[in-house]
Amino acid sequence: MIDLTTIAEFSRANCLEICAFLVPFNLLATLQTLIFIGLNRPASQIVLIAGFASLYSGLMVLHVFSWFMIGVVMIPTYILLSLGTTCLIINIWAVQSPSRLKFVIEKIVLDAQKMIAKVQKLGFN
């Protein structure tokens, strides 16, 4: 049987290493999911990369919960929980409704291009 106490202790004892691994992998994998959506990759590839990204997000959320179990409530725990939850939601959204997510991505890119054009027009290069 799995001893959750030992796993939680390992998580807390190696917090710096775990966060140093999970934060960039979580961000990069979720970014790759968004890129795959934007490039109209096949659904099988989107599901695969979103699955890996969700694994990283889920592990981050579980790592934060191991700190909550012993009563550690600090700003970094909430930041990491928000990051993990946001990335998890994006990856679930990518699998459930890729066309709607693609529409949102296209709208954000179009708005950013308009903003850049306005700034360049004002002469702030």
Side-chain angles (χ1 to χ4, degrees):
M1 193 161 135
I2 298 174
D3 185 16
L4 294 179
T5 306
T6 305
I7 294 172
E9 284 296 325
F10 174 81
S11 175
R12 290 188 296 270
N14 298 296
C15 182
L16 185 62
E17 294 84 6
I18 290 171
C19 289
F21 170 80
L22 284 179
V23 170
F25 273 75
N26 191 8
L27 292 172
L28 290 173
T30 301
L31 178 63
Q32 189 172 3
T33 301
L34 293 173
I35 290 170
F36 276 25
I37 292 287
L39 294 176
N40 286 326
R41 302 301 292 182
S44 60
Q45 290 180 358
I46 292 171
V47 168
L48 182 65
I49 189 61
F52 280 114
S54 296
L55 175 70
Y56 298 136
S57 302
L59 287 174
M60 182 177 293
V61 169
L62 290 174
H63 173 66
V64 171
F65 283 154
S66 76
W67 284 102
F68 285 152
M69 287 186 334
I70 62 166
V72 176
V73 179
M74 297 183 333
I75 291 175
T77 53
Y78 286 115
I79 291 170
L80 291 173
L81 182 62
S82 299
L83 174 67
T85 304
T86 302
C87 289
L88 190 59
I89 289 169
I90 289 170
N91 288 303
I92 291 170
W93 187 7
V95 171
Q96 293 294 321
S97 182
S99 60
R100 292 174 82 186
L101 182 56
K102 183 172 182 185
F103 175 76
V104 171
I105 292 169
E106 288 173 346
K107 180 144 179 60
I108 290 170
V109 169
L110 184 63
D111 289 345
Q113 288 173 342
K114 287 179 184 177
M115 188 181 308
I116 290 170
K118 284 181 183 179
V119 169
Q120 288 176 341
K121 191 175 182 180
L122 292 173
F124 296 111
N125 293 347

